[in-house]
Amino acid sequence: MIKKIALFSLYAGMAFGQGNTHNLKAGKFDGLAMTPPMGWNSWNTFETHIDENLVKETADIMVKTGMKEAGYTYIVLDDGWMTKERDENGNLVPDPQKFPSGMKALVDYVHSKGLKFGLYNCAGIQTCAGYPGTRGYEYQDARFYAALDIDYLKYDWCNTQGITAKEAYTTMSNALKTAGKPIVFSLCEWGDNQPWEWAKPVGNLWRISGDISPCFDCEDNHGTWSSWGFMKIVEMRKDIRKYSGPDHWNDFDMMEVGDGMTNNEDRSHFAMWCMLASPLIAGNDFRKMSPETLAILSNKNMISINQDALGIQGFRYSVIDGVEVWVKPLSDGWAVTFLNRNASTSTVNFDWKKHIFNDADFGYSVDFSNNQFKIRDMWKNKEAGNTSKAFTANLESHNVITLKLTK
Ligand code: GLA
């Protein structure tokens, strides 16, 4: 037993001390995601059908359409970028058919546009789509990513029989740290092992549910697992808000805006991701994006709510006749979203003076009976009076109104 412990400390020493001229400390790279990461991920639309042209075109469009300027920074290639086998040295191999110019050239291209680049792998022996997983290759793969100069790693949880999530994610986090290139570490174990309770020192964001589906509140049953409409995910994880904040975000999954829901539903989806301070990782095909989808995703008012420096995940304040009222403390006021879950149009009639917002988790509260705020409608982008009189409006089915209150 004594021998084993001695051996363990020797290995630990090799990883984090021996031979280094500076002190490498275990744990994630701090400060890489002080506001929720924004970008694009290939999975929701393309699954494994990805290639270098798709990435280049997506990067070009992000610049041309103003998505980059609105804050979308990361282009993340999800599952399917590798060949089915590692090479004779155990290195991962980017698929030469999909990426004939090589992955490094693609990373450089994305960087040349002022954007950042991310890749995907998995803690298990294989990824979910059957490509080589990282188990047993953590330090080698971390060096591979550092040499490619990537900026973001999404790390999944398929084929992980016999390992525990906290240890597996900690190992990869330490490996990235040791490889030395600052890389945002995005945990994707679907909330099965409550990452919000242990992953703050390990990663910058963590998925909190199974996969999203492009629907309002459906459940798509795939046999052994389900994917979820966006309101199902919201409902599932609205109560773990105190675990989310700058550099350690609850990740409500890549967005499905522009993937087939109605315009109202897309607006509600985006509004909720903003109110919940979720990472804003788009999942639609930017090459075929409608003007409506672009307007939603690049709405600067809404993005400012998501990116607010306090980084507080909003909460559901009340439900009045099927209209939910969501509230988020901001560094300069409050954001309020009315969301109509009913199948038909509802009337919102909200008499501020009768309400007290109290955020017990983060210690913010306001009593409108003795506090007056100016109101701005964030979707209409115009002033909407103040809180001295009731706010009234008609709200279509599955649509939202988002207001910002400032002094
Ligand atoms: C899991 C993840 C998805 C996606 C796929 C890829 O299902 O949750 O987001 O990365 O794997 O195979």
Side-chain angles (χ1 to χ4, degrees), residues 337-348:
T337 290
F338 300 97
L339 182 149
N340 182 6
R341 291 195 76 144
N342 298 315
S344 54
T345 299
S346 295
T347 307
V348 176

Side-chain angles (χ1 to χ4, degrees), residues 43 78-79 120 128-129 154 156 188 190 207 211 253-254:
W43 184 256
D78 208 283
D79 211 347
Y120 160 102
C128 301
K154 172 177 168 182
D156 211 345
C188 177
W190 319 310
R207 281 272 298 280
D211 291 0
D253 205 356
M254 288 110 46

Side-chain angles (χ1 to χ4, degrees), residues 254-266:
M254 288 110 46
M255 293 184 285
E256 296 279 20
V257 174
D259 286 340
M261 288 186 283
T262 66
N263 208 36
N264 281 351
E265 290 172 337
D266 276 352

Side-chain angles (χ1 to χ4, degrees), residues 68-183:
K68 175 189 165 196
E69 208 238 313
Y72 293 86
T73 304
Y74 294 97
I75 294 190
V76 182
L77 276 180
D78 208 283
D79 211 347
W81 60 268
M82 302 171 238
T83 55
K84 290 274 177 175
E85 304 290 338
R86 291 174 180 269
D87 71 11
E88 64 280 10
N89 298 315
N91 288 317
L92 296 168
V93 183
D95 186 329
Q97 239 115 63
K98 293 173 177 172
F99 305 98
S101 315
M103 196 57 88
K104 183 70 174 79
L106 192 56
V107 177
D108 291 345
Y109 183 86
V110 168
H111 284 167
S112 78
K113 300 284 160 183
L115 298 165
K116 294 182 174 175
F117 192 93
L119 286 175
Y120 160 102
N121 209 322
C122 192
I125 48 175
Q126 282 194 332
T127 70
C128 301
Y131 295 87
T134 289
R135 182 171 178 183
Y137 292 89
E138 290 83 357
Y139 282 77
Q140 182 166 358
D141 288 358
R143 286 195 295 274
F144 180 80
Y145 302 135
L148 281 176
D149 200 21
I150 71 167
D151 309 284
Y152 187 110
L153 178 69
K154 172 177 168 182
Y155 202 54
D156 211 345
W157 189 240
C158 279
N159 306 303
T160 50
Q161 291 78 358
I163 57 176
T164 61
K166 184 175 174 186
E167 278 74 15
Y169 282 96
T170 302
T171 301
M172 193 61 203
S173 177
N174 291 343
L176 292 172
K177 192 74 174 291
T178 302
K181 163 79 213 281
I183 290 176

Side-chain angles (χ1 to χ4, degrees), residues 371-386:
N371 269 290
Q372 190 175 305
F373 287 77
K374 282 187 300 190
I375 304 176
R376 187 168 186 85
D377 185 319
M378 300 299 259
W379 288 102
K380 288 187 178 154
N381 194 27
K382 64 176 201 211
E383 302 308 323
N386 62 47

Side-chain angles (χ1 to χ4, degrees), residues 10 21 37 45 102 136 139 145 158 165 216 223 249 276 301 392:
L10 175 66
T21 49
T45 299
Y139 282 77
Y145 302 135
C158 279
F216 187 76
W249 304 102
L276 296 168
N301 289 335
T392 55

